[in-house]
Amino acid sequence: MSTAKTRLVGFICFVIALTFFSLPLRSEEAASGAAPANTKQDDIAPTPTPSSFNSPSRLPQPPTSGESVLRIKTPLTKYPDTKKKPSQNDGPLKISRILDGNDMKPKAKPPEPAPRVEPKPVTPVQPASAMPKAKPVASAKPSDDIHLLVAGKTQRSQLVELWGEPASQSIVDGRTLLVFNTAGFERAEATFQNDTLETLFLVLKQPSPADQVRQQLKIVESEGAKVHDEFGVLLGLVYPERGALFSYAPQERQFLVESVVIQRPTAEAFLIRAKGYQADRIEAKLADLNTAVKLESFNAAAWHEIAILQRRLGQMPDALSAAQTAATGVGAKPEYRLTRALIQAEMGQYDDALNVTKAIAENVALPKEVRARAYCQWGDLVARGPSEDVRSALAHHQLSIKLAAEEIRNPLDEVRRAAKLILVDAHLAVATDLAAGQWQNRELTVPKWVDSTDAFVANLIDKEGFSRELELARLQKAIAAYNYFESEFDTTESVDAILSVGRQLLSQTSDPSYQTVIEWEMSQALIQAATIEQNRGEFDDAMRIARETAALLEHATQTRQLSISDRMTLGNFYFRVGAAQVVSKGDHDEAIRWYADAEKQFKHSDIKNVAFGQRGEALASMAVSYWETGRHQQGLDLTEQGANLLKQGVDAGENQLDSLIAPYANLVTMYESQGNATKQAEYAGKLAKLPQPASESTPRR
């Protein structure tokens, strides 16, 4: 091979290898360099596909009284407000990312008889262009023995025994570079550190199919993964366990392998494969990610992926720990701190989560899609947090839409896809903001904002390769929006879609973890639908949906570590279904069967410091069914527990003093029936001090 050709091949392989192991990082202080799409403030630019995605041009006007937000219903997935814990330092991270591997790429010097090659920190090593070309070794052995060569284990003497003496050798940054003329390859280069093989670089005689190269190298135990550049161009394949990189020939359109690099297994290779798995392979993803962090303990990207998966699995303490490592690890990005803040909010660390999210949203030096995600999360926090400030949430969600819309045509895959996902979330969030506050014409505007997400969900699934589980997430949030106000929304079509999509996803996977995730997500959407049907008075439909939901929850909660929000959601669900049995049929026995599950959630120690009034009212109401069915002691105990929680709620400002009237009146009646005059007098005295006296003498719901 001529010197010029050798240099050309070496340069091409250098570029591809550098792309594999030096995926671009974005500094928190650097603004996005992508050109924004040409959009207006109130309209979202069309997608790159024929489908368009237009947000409603006008928001509903607030009531003429000037009060834009009146009474707001408490959502089932409201963020808990618990005692604030010490926050972590969330300043800009200055740690540079550590590249996997120690291989170097030589830089040619001016021609000399025996030139020294200066290194450049990339994989793999190439000889200097002016190095005298040695004569081929006639006794080179066939390449069938190449599977015996293992980076980090094979010794120089073993390689020489297999392939004979090298055609040339040089020293590059303390490493020995040997060039062989071995049968089956145009060129074979081996780099040694202390006589131990570090990197093997092979140039095929002609581009070949990947399967053929795998057979030649006997790489059969490792599952390959596609490697793309930041624009989505397919560059080659990686086999993490073997540490093998197959580089496609750039001039070939048949995706033929041109060269191979074999080195020690790296965290980056396992991370590439983990991120390339289909959504329904959660356990395979976690296995590769755990291997990645074993190889590189502070790999921020790997820890971030672990945190996302653990959150979906309901392993919240582990998810928070992983998110914390991601936010402070090597290669940390501001997006990782947003994920940590989201998990903190769901675990009750609301103030810390809000402060971090706000700081990222207002940092104008950050890329638009990052700020858009932060603004969307900021809006969610203030809408679902203790303040329930829907008006502020609406402003944040609108700004999120504006920023994300400018990036939906970005040529970078990661940026474009993130922007589209944000637009879906932000539009559904706006629908919820409008539904939660008493805005004018919300019956007309909420459906428009919900329907406006159809095009992007379809685009993400059809064009960007997302799983259909995105449809489940959209349906859950859409139905939840209708739960905030009385409407004529019929959930039949949505419920059918939830069951259809969910069952299809479940039938296509054998991954137990993914099955529990889908069952949980289906149940959360169905809970919202059952509540709507109950509010509409359609108790038969509500019970049909509730039974489907309960069956899903029975399996989905077996391995899930329920968060505070999860427990409140499930407690409300079981309580409302039980109450529907009393209201529609007067069936206290059936109600108690549902109340038993509600009681487990409402009395769990994890939520002892949240939602005093809401839990107290539920317990006091459930107590009536126990009393009516002759289980007097249980009814009495639950009523007292409910009354105590309601009193704490009054002290905390969660509910009004008159919320104590019903449980105190019931306790007077209960103790009177048991002949306990002391307790009867105690609660009669408390009842007399309330603003309005109780008029009923029997236990009330």
Side-chain angles (χ1 to χ4, degrees), residues 82-387:
T82 58
K83 185 176 181 181
K84 182 177 180 294
K85 298 182 180 180
S87 62
Q88 302 294 329
N89 180 16
D90 290 293
L93 299 174
K94 305 295 184 180
I95 305 174
S96 1
R97 188 168 189 177
I98 298 174
L99 298 179
D100 290 309
N102 297 312
D103 305 305
M104 300 293 178
K105 169 77 168 64
K107 184 191 296 182
K109 284 185 175 183
E112 295 179 5
R116 176 179 174 82
V117 182
E118 293 297 328
K120 190 174 181 179
V122 295
T123 59
V125 179
Q126 298 289 334
S129 60
M131 180 182 297
K133 186 174 181 180
K135 294 181 180 180
V137 177
S139 61
K141 294 188 177 181
S143 60
D144 291 343
D145 297 326
I146 198 170
H147 69 283
L148 301 176
L149 306 178
V150 179
K153 294 183 179 180
T154 299
Q155 298 299 302
R156 174 175 175 169
S157 59
Q158 294 175 290
L159 183 58
V160 171
E161 183 180 351
L162 287 173
W163 286 356
E165 292 297 327
S168 66
Q169 70 177 48
S170 59
I171 303 299
V172 180
D173 194 31
R175 294 176 174 85
T176 302
L177 173 65
L178 305 183
V179 179
F180 294 88
N181 290 327
T182 183
F185 299 103
E186 182 73 21
R187 189 176 184 84
E189 300 179 1
T191 305
F192 290 86
Q193 178 73 42
N194 297 328
D195 285 338
T196 301
L197 181 65
E198 287 289 315
T199 303
L200 193 62
F201 174 57
L202 308 169
V203 179
L204 278 62
K205 287 187 174 180
Q206 62 182 16
S208 305
D211 286 343
Q212 179 179 323
V213 179
R214 282 190 68 186
Q215 292 299 320
Q216 183 180 6
L217 302 182
K218 292 184 171 56
I219 302 177
V220 294
E221 76 286 355
S222 179
E223 182 177 354
K226 295 179 180 179
V227 181
H228 300 84
D229 68 6
E230 57 192 5
F231 299 101
V233 177
L234 183 60
L235 300 177
L237 300 171
V238 60
Y239 297 90
E241 288 85 358
R242 185 67 188 276
L245 297 171
F246 289 8
S247 299
Y248 287 139
Q251 69 274 18
E252 297 285 346
R253 294 188 178 276
Q254 293 83 13
F255 300 112
L256 300 179
V257 178
E258 179 183 58
S259 63
V260 176
V261 175
I262 297 177
Q263 59 183 10
R264 296 172 186 264
T266 64
E268 196 71 22
F270 282 97
L271 177 60
I272 288 172
R273 188 170 68 181
K275 295 177 73 172
Y277 282 133
Q278 295 295 319
D280 63 350
R281 298 189 63 182
I282 290 180
E283 295 193 356
K285 285 176 180 282
L286 282 172
D288 275 2
L289 292 169
N290 286 327
T291 301
V293 297
K294 287 180 181 178
L295 292 169
E296 187 180 322
S297 58
F298 293 102
N299 186 302
W303 280 114
H304 182 244
E305 294 295 322
I306 291 173
I308 292 173
L309 291 176
Q310 289 177 330
R311 174 179 175 265
R312 294 195 68 195
L313 290 168
Q315 300 168 2
M316 300 304 289
D318 292 338
L320 182 57
S321 177
Q324 177 62 37
T325 306
T328 58
V330 178
K333 300 180 181 180
E335 298 96 307
Y336 302 169
R337 293 195 290 127
L338 281 177
T339 298
R340 183 186 65 186
L342 176 62
I343 297 172
Q344 284 179 311
E346 292 174 340
M347 295 187 67
Q349 301 175 31
Y350 177 80
D351 292 337
D352 288 344
L354 184 61
N355 291 335
V356 172
T357 303
K358 179 180 178 181
I360 294 175
E362 293 180 334
N363 188 344
V364 296
L366 294 178
K368 291 178 181 177
E369 78 279 3
V370 176
R371 297 182 64 215
R373 169 56 65 193
Y375 270 111
C376 187
Q377 185 165 300
W378 188 359
D380 293 343
L381 289 173
V382 297
R384 297 163 60 189
S387 65

Side-chain angles (χ1 to χ4, degrees), residues 398-449:
Q398 286 181 288
L399 188 50
S400 173
I401 291 173
K402 178 181 181 297
L403 291 170
E406 297 176 2
E407 296 291 358
I408 61 172
R409 292 181 177 177
N410 195 300
L412 299 179
D413 284 359
E414 184 177 0
V415 175
R416 184 182 66 256
R417 291 167 180 168
K420 291 179 181 180
L421 277 174
I422 294 165
L423 286 174
V424 173
D425 290 342
H427 275 70
L428 291 172
V430 168
T432 302
D433 296 339
L434 299 177
Q438 281 200 332
W439 300 83
Q440 291 182 355
N441 301 322
R442 60 180 176 174
E443 296 82 1
L444 300 176
T445 56
V446 169
K448 291 181 179 179
W449 281 87

Side-chain angles (χ1 to χ4, degrees), residues 37-47 52-56 398 400-406 408-409 419 422-424 426-427 449 452 456:
N38 183 19
T39 60
K40 298 181 181 179
Q41 181 173 352
D42 297 326
D43 297 318
I44 291 181
T47 67
S52 60
F53 183 77
N54 298 313
S55 61
Q398 286 181 288
S400 173
I401 291 173
K402 178 181 181 297
L403 291 170
E406 297 176 2
I408 61 172
R409 292 181 177 177
I422 294 165
L423 286 174
V424 173
H427 275 70
W449 281 87
S452 66
F456 259 78

